[in-house]
Amino acid sequence: MDRCIVLVDAGYLLGAAASLLAGEPSRSRITVDHAALIQGLRDRAESDTRQPLLRIYWFDGAPDRVPQPEHRRLRVMPRVTVRLGALTRSDGRWAQKGVDAAMHAELTELARNRACSDVVLVTGDGDLLPGMMAAKEHGVAVHLWAVQAADGDYNQSEDLVAEADERRVLDRAWITRAVRAKEYGGICAPPHVPRPEIAAILSAPLPESSLSAAPERPAEQPRHPAAAEPRNGSGERGLPAAKGVPTPKDLAGLRAPGPQPASPPPSATLRWSSDKGWVDRPGGESSEAASLPTLAQLTSAEQRWADREEDITAVGGDPLEVGQVFARRWAERLTDQIHLQKLSGMYPRVPHRIDGELLRYAARFGLLAHKDDQIDEQDRYAIRAGFWREIDGRTATERVPAGE
């Protein structure tokens, strides 16, 4: 059959692209325009093989083989079929399982059934060598594509390179049409500012009892006493002798004796990090913030369905973009635009209810928890920066970047 098929090992393609553009193979370091990437693969395959495209098979790993947002976007594109293997964690690193076997099975089956005359393989794994040899025995021309290596060397198995009928390299210029490195500027993360109150706590002298060797505790003595005995005759209670750095509970015990207020005084403030550094804000949620509607309250069932469709087909998943999309939907659905001005005046703090919605929305795109199972702080800053960028654009507000 005179047509071509493209088999893509997404782990190889995107990992090599990340190494080339961002200096490390982590796919979280790049942003991918999947529509442009698929169109580029199709155009290049038809040009190299001089055959019309039948289909692009996209092989990737996913936790428990559950499609991620990028997989849902890909599989609704024309002429694209997604095949998922497992994604497992070992020694602190993510590894694909079953992807090579699935590519091998698909390649040999297509060749055996004479479904195509040319197969384009975008992979570097030598485990695919037997499948490549079997395809050639069935009369299929095999084209092997590589991604330009960051160090200029091969990033493919030499056996694959030797066995391929044709070989091409997808260079930096081709890759950057659809893939770019993420850049987290100063707007995303506030500069480090020394905090004198913390330095004072850490430099405070320890109680005299902690300077000498502590005697062995009797069995009936509590392991963590509430506070040490008074010192210097002042009536103040010291810190526990067994601890080198005081905890918040220890600091609470340093207050003057007598009844303490059940809640912080009205003048108490909280410090919020922003692109301007640390900003003092009154503690607790204000009545204005509590009056702001959430996106869920502003969204009808029909809009909710349309939002999911847009997320799958049009939203790329870049943290800045995700924050902007959320803010755009919230602002466009307001019935009273005074809420927009109220929100703008609360910068840099996103009200708690709206912020929770924003982060839950971002989690749909695999953000926030892809690095060692911890919340990704850079992504959180970028998501909120995108949110404020959209709000500022609608209120004609100019924020001064940090350091200016």
Side-chain angles (χ1 to χ4, degrees):
M1 189 70 70
D2 292 338
R3 52 194 180 186
C4 68
I5 288 177
V6 181
L7 305 182
V8 180
D9 179 350
Y12 165 76
L13 173 60
L14 301 182
S19 294
L20 178 65
L21 302 181
E24 59 179 87
S26 173
R27 289 161 61 171
S28 64
R29 296 292 307 278
I30 57 175
T31 299
V32 183
D33 182 343
H34 290 92
L37 181 59
I38 292 299
Q39 187 61 48
L41 290 169
R42 177 173 186 166
D43 293 344
R44 184 66 180 267
E46 292 182 336
S47 174
D48 280 10
T49 64
R50 299 181 182 179
Q51 303 292 347
L53 177 78
L54 171 63
R55 191 174 296 115
I56 294 176
Y57 288 89
W58 186 272
F59 295 87
D60 202 1
D64 299 323
R65 291 185 168 86
V66 176
Q68 301 300 295
E70 66 180 276
H71 303 138
R72 294 198 292 271
R73 290 193 294 274
L74 283 163
R75 66 185 184 181
V76 298
M77 294 181 185
R79 304 281 180 144
V80 177
T81 296
V82 176
R83 297 279 189 262
L84 295 179
L87 192 63
T88 59
R89 194 169 184 81
S90 177
D91 298 328
R93 298 175 63 89
W94 290 103
Q96 296 181 159
K97 298 294 183 183
V99 173
D100 297 333
M103 288 189 70
H104 178 277
E106 199 74 55
L107 175 59
T108 53
E109 190 69 15
L110 292 169
R112 184 182 300 113
N113 292 326
R114 301 187 182 278
C116 58
S117 59
D118 296 75
V119 169
V120 175
L121 293 177
V122 186
T123 185
D125 199 328
D127 290 345
L128 213 58
L129 181 62
M132 178 187 286
M133 296 173 65
K136 291 176 63 178
E137 290 173 0
H138 285 90
V140 174
V142 179
H143 305 251
L144 182 65
W145 290 0
V147 176
Q148 178 183 340
D151 56 6
D153 201 356
Y154 281 153
N155 55 8
Q156 289 179 310
S157 162
E158 292 189 12
D159 291 333
L160 280 182
V161 172
E163 193 67 29
D165 294 309
E166 301 283 349
R167 184 171 183 261
R168 296 286 183 270
V169 176
L170 305 177
D171 60 15
R172 181 187 292 269
W174 190 93
I175 291 293
T176 51
R177 295 174 190 170
V179 183
R180 64 179 176 84
K182 291 181 181 178
E183 295 181 1
Y184 296 111
I187 189 172
C188 300
H192 175 70
V193 179
R195 299 184 62 184
E197 64 271 25
I198 293 182
I201 291 173
L202 297 179
S203 62
L206 294 174
E208 295 176 4
S209 57
S210 66
L211 300 178
S212 58
E216 186 173 352
R217 299 174 185 269
E220 67 278 6
Q221 183 176 354
R223 185 172 179 80
H224 296 292
E229 292 296 324
R231 55 177 178 173
N232 299 332
S234 62
E236 289 186 354
R237 288 177 292 174
L239 301 177
K243 297 181 180 180
V245 178
T247 67
K249 182 178 179 181
D250 300 329
L251 296 177
L254 287 176
R255 286 189 263 178
Q260 300 294 333
S263 59
S267 60
T269 59
L270 299 175
R271 309 199 76 200
W272 301 92
S273 60
S274 73
D275 57 351
K276 295 182 180 179
W278 291 95
V279 178
D280 289 340
R281 289 285 185 182
E285 191 88 342
S286 68
S287 58
E288 280 197 350
S291 69
L292 293 176
T294 63
L295 181 59
Q297 292 171 336
L298 298 170
T299 304
S300 66
E302 293 79 7
Q303 287 173 325
R304 191 173 298 112
W305 187 93
D307 288 348
R308 295 293 290 185
E309 184 72 12
E310 182 184 14
D311 292 342
I312 293 171
T313 59
V315 181
D318 177 77
L320 278 168
E321 179 192 14
V322 167
Q324 286 182 288
V325 169
F326 182 94
R328 170 175 58 80
R329 292 174 182 170
W330 185 85
E332 287 178 349
R333 294 169 191 172
L334 286 174
T335 55
D336 187 350
Q337 291 300 309
I338 192 64
H339 290 311
L340 190 60
Q341 296 298 331
K342 286 182 180 179
L343 177 64
S344 180
M346 296 175 188
Y347 177 86
R349 179 191 178 191
V350 183
H352 179 70
R353 293 186 304 150
I354 297 177
D355 189 53
E357 265 196 324
L358 172 62
L359 296 183
R360 287 193 295 274
Y361 173 66
R364 296 182 189 174
F365 299 88
L367 301 174
L368 306 176
H370 57 254
K371 292 184 178 180
D372 300 325
D373 295 329
Q374 299 296 318
I375 292 179
D376 189 320
E377 258 192 282
Q378 291 286 0
D379 279 353
R380 282 194 299 155
Y381 283 124
I383 292 162
R384 289 163 177 156
F387 178 90
W388 285 118
R389 179 179 296 179
E390 180 69 19
I391 296 298
D392 292 348
R394 292 175 175 273
T395 57
T397 304
E398 294 186 5
R399 310 288 186 190
V400 180
E404 294 187 7

